[in-house]
Coordinates of all heavy atoms in Angstrom, one line a residue:
M1 N 11.3 6.6 5.2 CA 11.3 6.7 3.8 C 12.4 5.8 3.1 O 12.3 5.6 1.9 CB 11.6 8.2 3.4 CG 10.4 9.1 3.7 SD 8.9 8.7 3.0 CE 9.1 9.1 1.3
Y2 N 13.3 5.3 3.9 CA 14.3 4.5 3.3 C 13.7 3.2 2.8 O 14.2 2.8 1.7 CB 15.4 4.2 4.4 CG 16.4 3.2 4.0 CD1 17.4 3.6 3.1 CD2 16.4 1.9 4.4 CE1 18.4 2.7 2.6 CE2 17.4 1.0 3.9 CZ 18.4 1.4 3.1 OH 19.3 0.5 2.6
I3 N 12.8 2.6 3.4 CA 12.2 1.4 2.9 C 11.5 1.6 1.6 O 11.6 0.7 0.7 CB 11.2 0.8 4.0 CG1 10.8 -0.6 3.6 CG2 10.0 1.6 4.1 CD1 11.4 -1.7 4.4
F4 N 10.9 2.7 1.4 CA 10.2 2.9 0.1 C 11.3 3.1 -1.0 O 11.1 2.6 -2.1 CB 9.3 4.2 0.1 CG 8.2 4.0 1.1 CD1 8.0 4.7 2.2 CD2 7.2 3.0 0.8 CE1 7.0 4.6 3.1 CE2 6.2 2.8 1.7 CZ 6.0 3.6 2.8
K5 N 12.4 3.8 -0.7 CA 13.4 4.0 -1.7 C 14.1 2.6 -2.0 O 14.3 2.3 -3.2 CB 14.5 4.9 -1.2 CG 15.5 5.3 -2.2 CD 16.6 6.2 -1.9 CE 16.6 6.9 -0.6 NZ 17.8 7.7 -0.4
E6 N 14.3 1.8 -1.0 CA 14.9 0.5 -1.2 C 13.9 -0.4 -2.1 O 14.3 -1.1 -3.0 CB 15.1 -0.2 0.1 CG 16.0 -1.4 0.0 CD 17.4 -1.2 -0.4 OE1 17.9 -0.1 -0.1 OE2 18.0 -2.1 -0.9
L7 N 12.6 -0.3 -1.8 CA 11.6 -1.1 -2.5 C 11.6 -0.7 -4.0 O 11.5 -1.5 -4.9 CB 10.3 -0.9 -1.8 CG 9.1 -1.7 -2.5 CD1 9.3 -3.2 -2.4 CD2 7.8 -1.3 -1.8
W8 N 11.6 0.7 -4.2 CA 11.6 1.2 -5.6 C 12.8 0.7 -6.3 O 12.7 0.3 -7.5 CB 11.4 2.7 -5.6 CG 11.5 3.2 -7.0 CD1 12.5 4.0 -7.5 CD2 10.5 3.0 -8.0 NE1 12.2 4.3 -8.8 CE2 11.0 3.7 -9.1 CE3 9.3 2.4 -8.0 CZ2 10.2 3.7 -10.3 CZ3 8.6 2.4 -9.2 CH2 9.1 3.1 -10.3
S9 N 14.0 0.8 -5.7 CA 15.2 0.4 -6.4 C 15.2 -1.1 -6.7 O 15.6 -1.6 -7.8 CB 16.4 0.7 -5.6 OG 16.5 0.0 -4.4
F10 N 14.6 -1.9 -5.8 CA 14.5 -3.4 -6.1 C 13.6 -3.6 -7.3 O 13.9 -4.4 -8.2 CB 13.9 -4.1 -4.8 CG 13.5 -5.5 -5.1 CD1 14.4 -6.5 -5.2 CD2 12.1 -5.8 -5.3 CE1 14.0 -7.8 -5.5 CE2 11.7 -7.1 -5.5 CZ 12.7 -8.1 -5.6
M11 N 12.4 -2.9 -7.3 CA 11.5 -3.1 -8.4 C 12.1 -2.6 -9.7 O 11.8 -3.2 -10.8 CB 10.2 -2.4 -8.1 CG 9.3 -3.1 -7.1 SD 7.7 -2.5 -6.9 CE 7.9 -0.8 -6.5
R12 N 12.8 -1.6 -9.7 CA 13.4 -1.0 -10.9 C 14.5 -1.9 -11.4 O 14.6 -2.2 -12.7 CB 14.0 0.4 -10.6 CG 14.3 1.1 -11.9 CD 14.8 2.5 -11.6 NE 16.1 2.4 -10.8 CZ 16.4 3.2 -9.8 NH1 15.6 4.1 -9.4 NH2 17.5 3.0 -9.2
V13 N 15.4 -2.5 -10.6 CA 16.5 -3.3 -11.0 C 16.0 -4.7 -11.5 O 16.4 -5.1 -12.6 CB 17.5 -3.5 -9.9 CG1 18.5 -4.5 -10.2 CG2 18.2 -2.1 -9.6
R14 N 15.0 -5.2 -10.8 CA 14.6 -6.6 -11.1 C 13.4 -6.6 -12.1 O 12.9 -7.7 -12.4 CB 14.2 -7.3 -9.8 CG 15.2 -7.4 -8.8 CD 15.8 -8.7 -8.7 NE 16.7 -8.7 -7.6 CZ 17.8 -9.4 -7.6 NH1 18.1 -10.1 -8.6 NH2 18.6 -9.4 -6.5
K15 N 12.9 -5.4 -12.5 CA 11.8 -5.3 -13.4 C 10.5 -5.9 -12.9 O 9.8 -6.6 -13.5 CB 12.1 -5.9 -14.8 CG 13.4 -5.4 -15.4 CD 13.3 -4.0 -15.9 CE 14.4 -3.7 -16.8 NZ 15.2 -2.5 -16.4
K16 N 10.3 -5.7 -11.6 CA 9.1 -6.2 -10.9 C 8.1 -5.1 -10.7 O 7.5 -4.9 -9.6 CB 9.5 -6.8 -9.5 CG 10.5 -7.8 -9.6 CD 9.9 -9.2 -9.8 CE 11.0 -10.2 -9.7 NZ 10.6 -11.5 -10.2
Y17 N 7.7 -4.4 -11.8 CA 6.7 -3.3 -11.7 C 5.3 -3.8 -11.3 O 4.5 -3.0 -10.9 CB 6.7 -2.5 -13.0 CG 8.0 -1.8 -13.2 CD1 8.8 -2.2 -14.4 CD2 8.5 -0.9 -12.4 CE1 10.0 -1.6 -14.6 CE2 9.7 -0.3 -12.7 CZ 10.5 -0.6 -13.8 OH 11.7 0.0 -14.0
W18 N 5.0 -5.0 -11.5 CA 3.7 -5.6 -11.2 C 3.5 -5.6 -9.7 O 2.3 -5.7 -9.2 CB 3.5 -7.0 -11.8 CG 4.6 -8.0 -11.3 CD1 5.7 -8.2 -12.0 CD2 4.5 -8.8 -10.2 NE1 6.4 -9.2 -11.3 CE2 5.7 -9.6 -10.2 CE3 3.5 -9.0 -9.2 CZ2 5.9 -10.5 -9.2 CZ3 3.8 -9.9 -8.2 CH2 5.0 -10.7 -8.2
L19 N 4.5 -5.5 -8.9 CA 4.4 -5.4 -7.4 C 3.8 -4.1 -6.9 O 3.2 -4.0 -5.9 CB 5.7 -5.7 -6.8 CG 6.3 -7.1 -6.8 CD1 7.7 -7.2 -6.3 CD2 5.3 -8.0 -6.1
L20 N 4.0 -3.0 -7.7 CA 3.6 -1.7 -7.3 C 2.1 -1.6 -7.0 O 1.7 -1.1 -5.9 CB 4.0 -0.7 -8.3 CG 3.8 0.8 -7.9 CD1 4.7 1.1 -6.7 CD2 4.2 1.7 -9.0
P21 N 1.2 -2.1 -7.8 CA -0.2 -2.0 -7.4 C -0.6 -2.8 -6.2 O -1.5 -2.4 -5.4 CB -1.0 -2.6 -8.6 CG 0.0 -2.5 -9.7 CD 1.3 -2.6 -9.2
I22 N 0.1 -3.9 -6.0 CA -0.2 -4.7 -4.7 C 0.2 -3.9 -3.5 O -0.5 -3.9 -2.5 CB 0.6 -6.0 -4.8 CG1 0.1 -6.9 -6.0 CG2 0.6 -6.8 -3.5 CD1 0.9 -8.1 -6.3
F23 N 1.4 -3.3 -3.5 CA 1.8 -2.5 -2.4 C 0.9 -1.3 -2.1 O 0.7 -0.9 -1.0 CB 3.3 -2.1 -2.5 CG 4.2 -3.2 -2.3 CD1 5.1 -3.6 -3.3 CD2 4.2 -3.9 -1.1 CE1 5.9 -4.7 -3.1 CE2 5.1 -5.0 -0.9 CZ 6.0 -5.3 -1.9
I24 N 0.5 -0.7 -3.2 CA -0.4 0.5 -3.1 C -1.8 0.1 -2.4 O -2.2 0.8 -1.5 CB -0.7 1.2 -4.4 CG1 0.6 1.9 -4.9 CG2 -1.8 2.2 -4.4 CD1 0.6 2.4 -6.3
M25 N -2.3 -1.0 -2.9 CA -3.6 -1.5 -2.3 C -3.4 -1.9 -0.9 O -4.3 -1.7 0.0 CB -4.2 -2.6 -3.1 CG -4.7 -2.2 -4.5 SD -5.8 -0.9 -4.5 CE -7.2 -1.7 -3.7
M26 N -2.3 -2.6 -0.5 CA -2.0 -2.9 0.9 C -1.9 -1.7 1.7 O -2.4 -1.7 2.9 CB -0.8 -3.8 1.0 CG -0.9 -5.2 0.4 SD 0.6 -6.2 0.4 CE 1.2 -6.0 2.1
T27 N -1.3 -0.7 1.2 CA -1.2 0.6 2.0 C -2.5 1.2 2.2 O -2.8 1.7 3.3 CB -0.2 1.5 1.3 OG1 1.1 0.9 1.1 CG2 0.0 2.8 2.1
L28 N -3.3 1.3 1.2 CA -4.6 1.9 1.3 C -5.5 1.1 2.3 O -6.2 1.7 3.1 CB -5.3 2.0 -0.1 CG -4.7 3.0 -1.0 CD1 -5.4 2.9 -2.4 CD2 -4.9 4.4 -0.5
F29 N -5.5 -0.2 2.2 CA -6.4 -1.0 3.1 C -5.8 -0.9 4.5 O -6.6 -0.9 5.5 CB -6.5 -2.4 2.6 CG -7.5 -2.7 1.5 CD1 -7.1 -3.3 0.4 CD2 -8.7 -2.1 1.6 CE1 -8.0 -3.6 -0.6 CE2 -9.7 -2.3 0.6 CZ -9.3 -3.0 -0.5
G30 N -4.5 -0.8 4.7 CA -4.0 -0.7 6.0 C -4.4 0.7 6.6 O -4.7 0.8 7.8
G31 N -4.3 1.7 5.8 CA -4.8 3.0 6.3 C -6.2 3.1 6.6 O -6.7 3.7 7.6
L32 N -7.0 2.4 5.8 CA -8.5 2.3 6.1 C -8.7 1.6 7.4 O -9.6 2.0 8.2 CB -9.2 1.5 5.0 CG -10.7 1.5 5.0 CD1 -11.3 2.9 4.9 CD2 -11.2 0.6 3.9
I33 N -8.0 0.5 7.7 CA -8.2 -0.2 9.0 C -7.8 0.7 10.1 O -8.4 0.7 11.2 CB -7.3 -1.5 8.9 CG1 -8.0 -2.5 8.0 CG2 -7.2 -2.1 10.3 CD1 -7.2 -3.7 7.7
V34 N -6.7 1.4 10.0 CA -6.2 2.3 11.1 C -7.3 3.4 11.3 O -7.6 3.7 12.5 CB -4.9 2.9 10.7 CG1 -4.5 4.1 11.7 CG2 -3.8 1.8 10.8
L35 N -7.9 3.9 10.3 CA -8.9 4.9 10.5 C -10.2 4.4 11.1 O -10.8 5.2 11.8 CB -9.2 5.5 9.1 CG -8.3 6.6 8.5 CD1 -8.7 7.0 7.1 CD2 -8.2 7.8 9.5
T36 N -10.5 3.2 10.9 CA -11.8 2.7 11.4 C -11.7 2.1 12.8 O -12.7 1.7 13.3 CB -12.4 1.6 10.4 OG1 -11.4 0.5 10.3 CG2 -12.7 2.2 9.1
Q37 N -10.5 2.0 13.3 CA -10.3 1.4 14.6 C -11.1 2.1 15.8 O -11.7 1.5 16.6 CB -8.8 1.3 15.0 CG -8.1 0.2 14.3 CD -8.7 -1.2 14.6 OE1 -9.0 -1.4 15.8 NE2 -8.9 -2.0 13.7
G38 N -11.0 3.4 15.8 CA -11.6 4.1 16.9 C -12.1 5.5 16.6 O -11.9 6.4 17.4
S39 N -12.7 5.6 15.4 CA -13.1 7.0 15.0 C -14.6 7.0 14.7 O -15.2 6.0 14.6 CB -12.3 7.4 13.7 OG -12.7 6.6 12.7
A40 N -15.0 8.2 14.6 CA -16.5 8.4 14.2 C -16.7 8.1 12.8 O -17.9 8.1 12.3 CB -16.9 9.8 14.6
V41 N -15.7 7.9 12.0 CA -15.8 7.7 10.6 C -16.2 6.2 10.3 O -16.7 5.9 9.2 CB -14.5 8.1 9.8 CG1 -14.6 7.9 8.3 CG2 -14.1 9.5 10.2
A42 N -16.0 5.4 11.2 CA -16.2 3.9 11.1 C -17.6 3.5 10.5 O -17.7 2.7 9.6 CB -15.9 3.2 12.4
P43 N -18.7 4.0 11.1 CA -20.0 3.6 10.6 C -20.2 4.0 9.1 O -20.9 3.3 8.4 CB -21.0 4.3 11.5 CG -20.2 4.7 12.7 CD -18.8 4.9 12.3
F44 N -19.6 5.1 8.7 CA -19.8 5.5 7.3 C -18.9 4.7 6.4 O -19.4 4.4 5.2 CB -19.4 7.0 7.2 CG -20.2 7.9 8.0 CD1 -19.7 8.6 9.1 CD2 -21.6 8.1 7.7 CE1 -20.4 9.4 9.9 CE2 -22.3 8.9 8.5 CZ -21.8 9.6 9.6
I45 N -17.8 4.2 6.8 CA -16.9 3.4 6.0 C -17.5 2.0 5.9 O -17.5 1.4 4.8 CB -15.5 3.3 6.5 CG1 -14.9 4.7 6.4 CG2 -14.7 2.3 5.8 CD1 -13.5 4.8 7.0
Y46 N -18.2 1.5 6.9 CA -18.8 0.2 6.9 C -20.0 0.1 5.9 O -20.3 -0.9 5.3 CB -19.2 -0.3 8.3 CG -18.1 -0.6 9.2 CD1 -18.1 -0.1 10.5 CD2 -17.0 -1.3 8.7 CE1 -17.0 -0.4 11.4 CE2 -16.0 -1.6 9.6 CZ -15.9 -1.1 10.9 OH -14.9 -1.4 11.7
T47 N -20.6 1.3 5.7 CA -21.8 1.3 4.8 C -21.3 1.2 3.4 O -22.1 0.8 2.5 CB -22.6 2.5 5.0 OG1 -21.8 3.7 4.8 CG2 -23.2 2.6 6.4
I48 N -20.1 1.6 3.1 CA -19.6 1.5 1.7 C -19.4 0.0 1.3 O -19.7 -0.3 0.2 CB -18.2 2.2 1.6 CG1 -18.4 3.7 1.8 CG2 -17.5 1.9 0.3 CD1 -17.1 4.5 1.9
F49 N -19.0 -0.8 2.2 CA -18.8 -2.2 1.9 C -20.0 -3.0 2.2 O -20.1 -4.1 2.1 CB -17.6 -2.8 2.7 CG -16.3 -2.1 2.3 CD1 -15.7 -1.2 3.1 CD2 -15.7 -2.4 1.1 CE1 -14.5 -0.6 2.8 CE2 -14.5 -1.8 0.7 CZ -13.9 -0.9 1.5

């Protein structure tokens, strides 16, 4: 959790709030990749795209 606190303080001090959606999307896509690696959910996720 330290990295998230450090990232938030960086964005708050430097006024880089536009970075927040980028990090959220990267986290979501990373989680999606981890879920599809070896699970039974993979065929259903592939049909979405």
Side-chain angles (χ1 to χ4, degrees):
M1 292 304 288
Y2 175 74
I3 187 107
F4 295 116
K5 189 182 351 177
E6 190 70 26
L7 180 65
W8 176 249
S9 66
F10 168 77
M11 288 190 300
R12 193 178 64 221
V13 169
R14 306 255 187 213
K15 307 287 192 239
K16 304 273 185 195
Y17 296 116
W18 57 271
L19 289 172
L20 190 61
I22 295 171
F23 286 120
I24 289 173
M25 291 306 293
M26 286 175 54
T27 304
L28 287 176
F29 280 130
L32 185 64
I33 289 171
V34 167
L35 281 177
T36 60
Q37 284 297 318
S39 69
V41 183
F44 301 111
I45 293 176
Y46 289 135
T47 59
I48 294 172
F49 296 106

